[in-house]
């Protein structure tokens, strides 16, 4: 038959309250196996409290060729950051 | 020394020891890297359990014996594991079948052991039960995959179940020593686990589109130290260093 | 694309690496970069999984339960590291199956050190101490390599491997401080693994190919000879400390250069093993291929089951 197990991307939440972070990928025949494999491969050292698995082919990624139009326009929008605004020294926290 | 308790602990621990050893043989030879890692995890869990049990046994023994002496320096007839766990890794279906048939029992057994009057055993059981719940999930999922996979895998899984079935009844056999421990409120009355065991196993086999073996002929003897021929070879590996280089520290 | 456009892209690409930017899977990259990375990363992955065999050989015979679980965990980590590295390589457009195919047909190489046999328990000590020691020297700089997925995989690998060398050295300490028989076992293992470990750091700089390119792409940070010197300088005092003797009569401290001088490495032996004629080349491949072939029906069954499950789910949805 020769059909290979598809590739899955693994996301692990390392502690309660933190977001899931991508930690790698692995092969599995289905989503249940992907979860079990992820548990065995990526949380052997007590690294996680929650796992997400997504089949790699279902991820849509931005194209690096479009990086200019996608990300550079945000670079000069300094007014989105608090340091853009002047405050009198007396106001310590805002 | 509490002779009965000592022997009882060994009986429990030997199952994990011998099964852990069998799984350890597979490390590096699994069907995929992912399954290799998973089976090694189970092996590591089992050896962890073994160490807790033997360390406790060594304390009870009140002599020079260490966990390693207990694990590696007994004679063939002194190992009390059930025959099921010493069966070889004939192929992946046998490995999974053996694991599944043991896990279902192991989980039920530990759930009872957790209620033991012996607080150390109860605490060990409590810790092990989480590990074994995962083992049971892993092996059941694989029985389903292999049973309801291809024609070839179904035939192989069925063959493994049919062969290993012979060794399931022994899980519920109670020795005289066991009875004493049950009466003291320390041991588990395994005879009470039997019906629920076969119910869960049968249900899963049916879900896996496999046939429940009808054979009524069973083998037993492991609990009394009468083993299949397979155990001797396993022990010669397990004991090799301790026998060849006696009285040394590693 | 015209040649000039490609040249332009290549210049930008090299400039990014020079600025310490990471290259990511979907970024444009020169074909040679892709090929070189597939070769080196898959070779690295293969080394991890073939490397499981010589140590796996002693799991069932480990002398104590403590040693057994440590060894099992270590060999399991190697499977994990192989897995991380295969996955990282897959981002370059090659599947794990294709990489296995290359390994099994002998097209791809793996570290030659694993073609030596592990004949006593002390070999577990020597491998952890020397082979992992040499591997760490090779691997740590790769945490900053230019290809993002490789660098990230290496960070994980290096973090996890930190216990491996200790595991081995501890075995050696125990043997060296044990009975005369144990000490002899340790010395014998050191004698057999010392030279292959030095060879593991690669041919000498004057014959090593790819070095300049690899430096630019941060696949390498130091030359083979520098790495070897670093390995020797850090390992000799560790041997002294536990009373074992490095099997090299020419080994001596050179005050002037502040490092050890050492004897001639037998490169004929190195090339013999690389070309497939080491003591265990055939057995290692047979074991890998055997596991893969015996596993085929299992992998097929899991896929068939997954498809059936999917179909059932879809039917229910209708």
């Amino acid at each position: 038959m020769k059909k290979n197990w598809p590739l899955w991307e693994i996301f692990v939440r390392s502690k309660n309250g933190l977001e899931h972070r991508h930690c790698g990928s692995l092969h599995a025949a289905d989503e249940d196996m992907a979860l079990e494999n992820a548990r065995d491969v990526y949380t052997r050292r007590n690294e996680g409290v929650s796992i997400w698995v997504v089949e790699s082919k279902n991820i849509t990624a931005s194209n690096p060729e479009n990086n200019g139009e996608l990300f550079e326009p945000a670079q000069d929008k300094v007014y989105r950051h608090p340091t853009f605004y002047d405050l009198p020294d007396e106001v310590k926290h805002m | 020394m509490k002779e009965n308790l000592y022997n009882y602990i060994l009986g429990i621990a030997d199952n994990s020891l011998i099964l852990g050893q069998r799984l350890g043989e597979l490390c590096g030879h699994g069907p995929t890297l992912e399954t290799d890692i998973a089976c090694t995890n189970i092996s590591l869990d089992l050896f962890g359990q073994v160490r807790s049990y033997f360390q406790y046994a060594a304390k009870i023994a009140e002599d020079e014996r260490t966990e390693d002496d207990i694990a590696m320096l007994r004679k063939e007839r002194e190992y009390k594991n059930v025959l099921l766990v010493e069966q070889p890794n004939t192929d992946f279906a046998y490995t999974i079948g053996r694991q599944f048939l043991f896990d279902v029992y192991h989980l039920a057994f530990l759930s009872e052991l957790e209620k033991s009057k012996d607080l150390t055993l109860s605490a060990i059981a409590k810790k092990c039960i989480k590990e074994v719940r995962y083992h049971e999930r892993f092996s059941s999922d694989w029985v389903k995959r292999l049973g309801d996979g291809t024609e070839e895998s179904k035939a192989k899984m069925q063959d493994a179940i049919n062969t290993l079935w012979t060794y399931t009844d022994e899980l519920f056999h109670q020795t005289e020593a066991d009875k004493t421990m049950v009466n003291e409120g320390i041991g588990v009355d395994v005879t009470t686990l039997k019906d629920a065991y076969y119910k869960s196993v049968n249900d899963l086999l049916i879900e896996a589109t496999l046939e429940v073996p009808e054979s009524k002929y069973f083998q037993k003897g492991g609990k009394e130290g009468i083993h299949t021929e397979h155990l001797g070879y396993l022990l010669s590996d397990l004991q090799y260093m301790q026998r060849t280089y006696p009285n040394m520290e590693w | 694309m015209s040649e000039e456009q490609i040249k332009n892209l290549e210049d930008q690409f090299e400039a990014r690496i020079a600025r310490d930017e990471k290259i990511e899977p979907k970024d444009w990259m020169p074909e040679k970069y892709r090929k070189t990375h597939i070769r080196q990363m898959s070779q690295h992955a293969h080394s991890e999984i073939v490397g499981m065999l010589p140590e796996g050989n002693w799991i069932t015979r480990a002398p104590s339960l403590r040693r057994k679980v440590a060894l099992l965990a270590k060999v399991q980590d190697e499977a994990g590291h192989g897995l991380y590295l295969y996955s990282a390589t897959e981002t370059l457009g090659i599947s794990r199956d294709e990489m296995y195919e290359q390994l099994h047909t002998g097209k791809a190489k793996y570290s030659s050190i694993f073609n030596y046999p592990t004949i006593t328990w002390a070999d577990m000590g020597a491998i952890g101490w020397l082979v992992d020691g040499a591997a760490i020297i090779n691997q740590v700089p790769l945490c900053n390599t230019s290809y993002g997925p490789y660098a990230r995989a290496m960070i994980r690998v290096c973090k996890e491997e930190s216990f491996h060398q200790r595991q081995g050295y501890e075995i050696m300490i125990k043997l060296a401080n044990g009975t005369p028989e144990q000490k002899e076992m340790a010395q014998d293992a050191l004698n057999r693994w010392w030279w292959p470990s030095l060879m593991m750091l690669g041919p000498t700089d004057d014959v090593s190919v790819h070095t300049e390119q690899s430096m630019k792409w941060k696949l390498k940070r130091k030359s083979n000879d520098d790495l070897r010197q670093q390995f020797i300088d850090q390992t000799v005092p560790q041997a002294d400390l536990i009373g074992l003797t490095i099997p090299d009569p020419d080994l001596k401290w050179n005050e002037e250069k502040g490092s050890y001088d050492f004897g001639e490495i037998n490169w004929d032996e190195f090339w013999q093993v690389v070309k497939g004629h080491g003591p265990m080349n055939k057995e290692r491949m047979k074991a890998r291929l055997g596991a893969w072939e015996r596993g085929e029906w299992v992998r097929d069954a899991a896929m068939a089951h997954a498809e059936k499950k999917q179909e059932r789910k879809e039917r229910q949805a209708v």
Side-chain angles (χ1 to χ4, degrees):
Chain A
M1 193 167 70
K2 273 270 165 206
K3 217 181 216 170
N4 303 323
W5 291 0
L7 193 66
W8 299 74
E9 300 302 321
I10 311 303
F11 301 81
V12 171
R13 183 202 296 284
S14 62
K15 266 198 285 189
N16 281 321
L18 293 184
E19 69 275 61
H20 287 78
R21 280 184 67 173
H22 183 242
C23 65
S25 48
L26 49 74
H27 289 269
D30 55 47
E31 62 270 27
D32 295 329
M33 196 202 282
L35 268 178
E36 288 173 11
N37 289 350
R39 178 261 191 194
D40 286 322
V41 172
Y42 288 106
T43 65
R44 298 201 297 291
R45 287 178 170 78
N46 203 12
E47 292 102 329
V49 295
S50 164
I51 302 173
W52 288 349
V53 298
V54 183
E55 200 176 332
S56 308
K57 69 172 190 203
N58 292 329
I59 289 184
T60 311
S62 64
N63 187 336
E65 277 171 30
N66 304 333
N67 276 9
E69 67 231 51
L70 286 175
F71 307 117
E72 279 171 30
Q75 282 169 7
D76 64 354
K77 310 292 193 291
V78 286
Y79 44 80
R80 287 202 173 97
H81 300 279
T83 47
F84 178 74
Y85 301 93
D86 294 327
L87 281 187
D89 291 344
E90 290 76 18
V91 182
K92 292 219 168 63
H93 305 288
M94 184 178 280
Chain B
M1 171 182 145
K2 302 172 190 161
E3 189 76 34
N4 284 334
L5 179 59
Y6 178 83
N7 286 325
Y8 188 69
I9 297 168
L10 262 50
I12 305 172
D14 282 348
N15 286 336
S16 296
L17 173 70
I18 302 302
L19 187 55
Q21 179 80 358
R22 276 286 182 235
L23 290 169
E25 291 170 10
L26 288 174
C27 184
H29 306 274
T32 67
L33 274 179
E34 285 83 353
T35 18
D36 205 308
I37 292 170
C39 290
T40 307
N41 263 352
I42 297 179
S43 179
L44 280 167
D45 283 344
L46 292 169
F47 280 120
Q49 301 174 3
V50 169
R51 295 191 68 192
S52 306
Y53 289 126
F54 284 163
Q55 282 163 11
Y56 182 36
K59 213 167 90 186
I60 291 174
E62 289 173 338
D63 55 22
E64 303 284 279
R65 265 175 286 187
T66 65
E67 53 164 346
D68 293 321
D69 297 337
I70 300 174
M72 299 173 180
L73 287 175
R74 278 178 286 152
K75 301 194 174 65
E76 302 90 329
R77 292 289 312 278
E78 292 165 354
Y79 285 84
K80 307 290 183 191
N81 59 282
V82 292
L83 301 178
L84 176 65
V85 295
E86 70 200 42
Q87 299 310 305
N89 298 310
T90 308
D91 63 20
F92 193 66
Y94 274 77
T95 301
I96 288 299
R98 182 185 62 207
Q99 193 65 40
F100 168 66
L101 292 173
F102 182 70
D103 289 342
V104 176
Y105 159 80
H106 200 189
L107 190 57
F109 176 84
L110 290 172
S111 308
E112 289 303 310
L113 189 65
E114 208 184 329
K115 301 172 197 156
S116 171
K117 274 188 191 160
D118 185 296
L119 295 181
T120 310
L121 277 183
S122 161
I124 298 174
K126 202 179 164 112
K127 181 183 165 285
C128 298
I129 210 163
K130 289 184 192 143
E131 296 171 344
V132 174
R133 195 166 286 138
Y134 185 78
H135 302 173
E136 197 243 3
R137 175 180 155 164
F138 176 85
S139 60
S140 318
D141 280 355
W142 269 104
V143 171
K144 285 189 266 181
R145 278 188 199 109
L146 298 181
D148 190 21
T150 61
E151 283 304 309
E152 185 186 6
S153 70
K154 188 197 199 69
K156 285 190 147 88
M157 196 65 240
Q158 187 71 58
D159 173 51
I161 292 290
N162 291 351
T163 306
L164 296 168
W165 198 256
T166 321
Y167 306 109
T168 51
D169 190 62
E170 189 194 8
L171 296 165
F172 311 101
H173 169 69
Q174 205 168 42
T175 63
E176 285 307 313
D178 287 349
K179 274 181 201 154
T180 326
M181 294 319 290
V182 173
N183 291 338
E184 287 181 32
I186 292 173
V188 174
D189 183 355
V190 286
T191 57
T192 62
L193 308 177
K194 189 168 173 174
D195 291 346
Y197 173 85
Y198 281 111
K199 169 113 186 29
S200 328
V201 166
N202 294 358
D203 285 351
L204 192 110
L205 291 179
I206 290 163
E207 197 188 335
T209 70
L210 293 165
E211 279 167 30
V212 177
E214 282 170 10
S215 169
K216 295 278 180 280
Y217 298 102
F218 296 102
Q219 295 295 325
K220 63 174 196 290
K223 289 183 176 180
E224 268 101 15
I226 301 172
H227 292 276
T228 58
E229 289 180 353
H230 302 297
L231 187 71
Y233 297 98
L234 182 148
L235 292 181
S236 56
D237 268 3
L238 179 72
Q239 301 189 339
Y240 169 70
M241 289 298 291
Q242 291 278 347
R243 295 281 180 208
T244 314
Y245 304 91
N247 305 316
M248 296 182 200
E249 279 183 37
W250 303 96
Chain C
M1 252 187 289
S2 73
E3 249 173 66
E4 200 189 318
Q5 280 170 312
I6 292 179
K7 177 82 179 61
N8 201 6
L9 278 171
E10 277 177 8
D11 289 346
Q12 286 175 16
F13 178 83
E14 298 295 348
R16 286 186 63 195
I17 294 182
R19 283 197 302 271
D20 259 338
E21 276 180 40
K22 293 278 183 258
I23 305 302
E24 295 298 340
K26 294 190 82 174
D27 292 347
W28 182 87
M29 61 184 79
E31 207 37 42
K32 195 169 168 217
Y33 182 89
R34 182 186 303 276
K35 286 215 171 100
T36 304
H37 276 77
I38 288 178
R39 193 184 58 236
Q40 172 162 340
M41 290 165 69
S42 64
Q43 189 172 319
H44 196 162
H46 296 327
S47 300
E48 294 283 352
I49 61 154
V50 178
M52 295 171 76
L53 299 169
E55 287 178 286
N57 181 33
W58 278 87
I59 287 170
T60 58
R61 289 176 293 169
S64 71
L65 292 172
R66 182 176 182 271
R67 293 282 173 227
K68 196 188 284 281
V69 291
L71 185 62
L72 255 174
K74 183 188 179 223
V75 180
Q76 183 193 42
D77 272 351
E78 281 154 15
H81 299 168
L83 193 156
Y84 308 154
L85 289 162
Y86 282 126
S87 301
T89 317
E90 283 184 82
T91 62
L92 290 164
I94 182 171
S95 71
R96 194 194 290 178
D97 292 60
E98 287 171 292
M99 288 184 261
Y100 274 159
E101 178 74 23
Q102 292 177 351
L103 173 68
H104 296 153
T105 54
K107 201 180 146 214
K109 298 266 178 262
Y110 56 88
S111 182
S112 276
I113 193 91
F114 303 119
N115 290 317
Y116 290 87
T118 50
I119 55 184
T120 71
W121 170 250
D123 291 7
M124 297 304 100
I127 289 185
W129 175 32
L130 303 174
V131 177
D132 286 78
I136 291 166
I137 283 182
N138 253 330
Q139 288 176 347
V140 168
L142 287 172
C143 296
N144 292 310
T145 193
S146 65
Y147 188 53
Y150 194 20
R152 290 190 288 274
M154 288 316 299
I155 289 171
R156 189 171 268 275
V157 168
C158 287
K159 210 162 82 185
E160 295 188 350
E161 272 197 357
S162 54
F163 92 82
H164 292 185
Q165 201 190 5
R166 285 181 183 210
Q167 181 259 166
Y169 191 54
E170 195 192 79
I171 291 174
M172 291 306 255
I173 296 175
K174 204 80 182 168
L175 294 173
N177 293 327
T179 64
E181 216 175 346
Q182 283 175 305
K183 186 163 184 180
E184 194 187 312
M185 190 194 274
Q187 183 62 53
D188 167 65
L190 172 57
N191 293 350
R192 283 180 290 108
W193 290 93
W194 175 253
W195 293 104
S197 301
L198 296 191
M199 294 176 199
M200 205 183 142
L201 294 153
T204 50
D205 295 349
D206 49 330
V207 296
S208 177
V209 276
H210 322 298
T211 298
E212 198 189 327
Q213 181 81 83
S214 299
M215 293 270 189
K216 228 167 52 184
W217 288 341
K218 298 173 184 171
L219 277 169
K220 243 182 175 329
R221 286 274 151 103
K222 288 183 182 174
S223 75
N224 293 348
D225 287 336
D226 288 348
L227 292 171
R228 194 162 13 247
Q229 189 68 55
Q230 184 187 338
F231 174 71
I232 292 170
D233 292 345
Q234 79 175 41
T235 310
V236 175
Q238 293 166 354
D240 290 344
L241 190 68
I242 57 176
L244 295 179
T245 312
I246 303 282
D248 178 358
D250 297 325
L251 185 83
K252 70 171 184 292
W253 180 251
N254 181 327
E255 196 62 55
E256 206 173 307
K257 64 173 190 171
S259 63
Y260 284 93
D261 290 332
F262 54 96
E264 194 69 34
I265 293 172
N266 181 354
W267 291 109
D268 290 342
E269 177 186 318
F270 175 77
W271 291 114
Q272 178 180 337
V273 183
V274 169
K275 286 176 184 150
H277 305 287
M280 296 296 283
N281 295 58
K282 291 192 177 62
E283 284 80 355
R284 297 291 183 241
M285 253 337 88
K286 207 172 126 193
R288 279 314 317 162
L289 193 59
W292 184 244
E293 285 174 348
R294 278 192 305 277
E296 187 172 339
W297 69 268
V298 178
R299 296 189 300 274
D300 286 350
M303 265 330 278
H305 180 74
E307 278 161 18
K308 283 186 195 172
K309 226 167 53 171
Q310 188 62 30
E311 274 168 32
R312 280 197 288 265
K313 220 194 238 169
E314 278 160 17
R315 239 179 296 144
Q316 266 173 5
V318 172

